[in-house]
Amino acid sequence: MKILPSELAIRDFEGDAVVVGIYEGELSPTADQLDNVIGGAISRLISAEEITGKAGSLTTILAPAGLGVLQVIAVGLGEKEKLDYNTVYRAAASATKALSSKQRSKVGFYLDDFWPSDLTQQAIAGACVGCQGQDLYQAKKSSYQPELIEWFGVEEATIETGIALGNSINLTRSLVNRPAADIYPISFADEVAVVAEAYDLEIEIWDQKKLEEEKCGSLLAVSQGSDQPPRLAIVRYNGGKSGDAPLALVGKGVTFDSGGLSLKPSEGMKTMKCDMGGAATVLGAIKAIAALKVPVNVVGLFGLAENMVSGNCYKLGDVLTARSGKTIEVLNTDAEGRLVLADVLNVALDEKPACIIDLATLTGACVVALGEEVAGLMTNDQPWCDAISAASAKTGEQMWQLPMYPEFGKQIRSKVADIKNIGAGRWGGAMTAAKFLEEFVDETTWTHIDIAGPAFADSPKAWVDAGASGFGVRTLLEVARNLAK
Ligand code: BES
Ligand code: MN
Ligand code: ZN
């Protein structure tokens, strides 16, 4: 899909479709022009409340006389004063998704005649995401990207950054959507290397032998039952001043989570190719940060393992020694994400980061607490968590803080080891998991984002296909940009 800037008036546009933005309560200049060309149809539809302009609404007008296209997609943008990143991201994504049912050669985007470039960037990213689906393995695709989009009233540079962001989100999505037979620790590490190569990032990949030398006993235990050897990948993007402490982004990359001996039922296991969603989000974010040349130092760390059952898998009652030296009693092999992250967080400390964010599809309990659309934030440093909350409010990727009361920490005390890998019962599982992670970040400023809910969806939204959502990439980019200010 190509996106080109255009100055062509809507009346002169010829192609398959035009997408027009409709505010609630007023006509944008482009909508007004369109209205004039098609004989006041837009005004009449608004009067009749067939078009409301409400954010998230979408109306298709077929074969309007006077216009050189077969359809007009009118997307609601809400009130003009309240226009924000998420509204334009979703509006543009809904439009390309609506048009993705078949191959179109040329589509005009006339959302408004002028927006600040950061807003347009989000819209362009949305347009890229809306027309990529989870049909990666279908002979006959379910979604098609328009060959060409002509975007009205935008600078070339904004198109480039918008596409870079959209491609980064789509990278995250396709990694998550690809099954465990395709994305396993080695192949995920290869994907990290592709990004590193493209943007000239420093890269280190730790194989089984190196992980053993480094005494990553916690991560190694998780991968022990799998025929797929584990990896730990590290990439460094040095966009900031040399010597400035980096932002560390740490991702859970369990490429498949069967639960191990604490085996998941089929219902819970069937989407567990998504359990590397944290790692995929970190890779997408680093791709975006590097492509947009954000002036900040970032190190990404990916803990890659497959949690399987075999004659050699780790067992309940095992006591592991993590890289930090702490011992862990395993009482549930399905609480494996925290075991992987324990060692990766410890490796992250070697990078002397200014602050850490880890992302993980860590607990079903977080989904119970916050639902499928909201990520959980847990932290040891309130200002750092506030910074992430603020970035998430800006992008509209919803995140909500959960408490880290000492009581949750008491639940993971063990009688035989320093800590155990589950809490006392099923209640509060998102927080007991976060308390476990906290044990491995020492005093470093850290926030954990549990994305078990929003990373993957069973059913589609108007703006994105079912499957991987790419949730978190836009917020991480925003966090990095704010650090660079
Ligand atoms: N990967 C799962 C969490 C998950 C659940 C992610 C649903 C996405 C959707 C994680 O490894 C897990 O199995 N957690 C257990 C923890 C429990 C054994 C303490 C859970 O949530 O049940
Ligand atoms: Mn698990
Ligand atoms: Zn898991």
Side-chain angles (χ1 to χ4, degrees), residues 257 259 264 275 307 334-336:
D257 181 12
K264 287 183 184 295
D275 215 18
N307 187 22
D334 198 11
E336 85 298 338

Side-chain angles (χ1 to χ4, degrees), residues 269-305:
M269 201 191 297
K270 69 185 184 191
T271 58
M272 279 304 132
K273 66 175 183 183
C274 84
D275 215 18
M276 31 57 78
T281 309
V282 169
L283 188 60
I286 286 181
K287 179 178 161 82
I289 291 165
L292 272 57
K293 299 193 172 67
V294 182
V296 64
N297 295 331
V298 182
V299 54
L301 299 105
F302 308 84
L304 305 166

Side-chain angles (χ1 to χ4, degrees), residues 170-479:
N170 281 337
L171 169 64
T172 299
R173 293 176 61 223
S174 74
L175 287 172
V176 173
N177 280 333
R178 289 167 66 188
D182 273 11
I183 295 294
Y184 41 92
I186 289 177
S187 65
F188 191 107
D190 290 343
E191 299 288 338
V192 177
V194 169
V195 173
E197 172 87 8
Y199 300 99
D200 207 16
L201 314 179
E202 285 173 35
I203 177 162
E204 258 179 61
I205 294 176
W206 293 12
D207 62 8
Q208 171 97 25
K209 184 163 154 280
K210 171 78 169 165
L211 287 162
E212 282 163 9
E213 283 163 14
E214 293 282 343
K215 300 193 162 46
C216 294
S218 188
L219 185 154
L220 283 167
V222 172
S223 100
Q224 187 176 306
S226 171
D227 289 345
Q228 293 294 345
R231 290 290 185 269
L232 193 160
I234 307 172
V235 288
R236 298 184 193 85
Y237 164 70
N238 301 313
K241 289 201 207 78
S242 89
D244 272 6
L247 160 65
L249 299 177
V250 173
K252 170 180 172 183
V254 173
T255 54
F256 187 70
D257 181 12
S258 72
L261 285 175
S262 311
L263 195 66
K264 287 183 184 295
S266 295
E267 203 42 44
M269 201 191 297
K270 69 185 184 191
T271 58
M272 279 304 132
K273 66 175 183 183
C274 84
D275 215 18
M276 31 57 78
T281 309
V282 169
L283 188 60
I286 286 181
K287 179 178 161 82
I289 291 165
L292 272 57
K293 299 193 172 67
V294 182
V296 64
N297 295 331
V298 182
V299 54
L301 299 105
F302 308 84
L304 305 166
E306 192 182 59
N307 187 22
M308 295 294 279
V309 185
S310 80
N312 190 41
C313 60
Y314 76 137
K315 303 170 191 76
L316 285 79
D318 281 358
V319 176
L320 319 175
T321 305
R323 185 172 187 263
S324 73
K326 279 199 173 123
T327 55
I328 305 165
E329 182 188 11
V330 177
L331 289 178
N332 190 317
T333 59
D334 198 11
E336 85 298 338
R338 67 199 73 183
L339 297 174
V340 170
L341 289 173
D343 282 339
V344 188
L345 287 167
N346 181 262
V347 175
L349 297 185
D350 290 355
E351 303 286 321
K352 307 246 175 309
C355 41
I356 303 176
I357 302 176
D358 81 73
L359 286 101
T361 48
L362 201 63
T363 66
C366 194
V367 193
V368 173
L370 298 174
E372 291 181 309
E373 317 275 322
V374 182
L377 293 174
M378 285 145 271
T379 190
N380 65 357
D381 185 283
Q382 196 55 46
W384 180 225
C385 189
D386 291 343
I388 294 157
S389 285
S392 107
K394 179 90 186 172
T395 63
E397 293 179 323
Q398 295 171 307
M399 302 183 187
W400 193 257
Q401 189 177 359
L402 297 171
M404 290 283 275
Y405 299 129
E407 143 64 17
F408 295 118
K410 286 201 190 117
Q411 288 192 36
I412 55 168
R413 309 279 45 118
S414 158
K415 293 197 176 70
V416 302
D418 295 328
I419 47 174
K420 55 186 164 95
N421 78 330
I422 50 169
R426 42 195 290 256
W427 310 121
M431 287 81 79
T432 48
K435 277 291 181 186
F436 182 97
L437 299 181
E438 190 182 23
E439 295 277 335
F440 297 91
V441 297
D442 294 349
E443 301 303 307
T444 309
T445 300
W446 156 82
T447 295
H448 158 60
I449 311 184
D450 192 331
I451 57 170
F456 195 87
D458 287 329
S459 33
K461 313 268 194 313
W463 62 91
V464 67
D465 197 2
S469 63
F471 178 98
V473 173
R474 289 188 297 133
T475 300
L476 291 180
L477 172 63
E478 196 62 21
V479 167

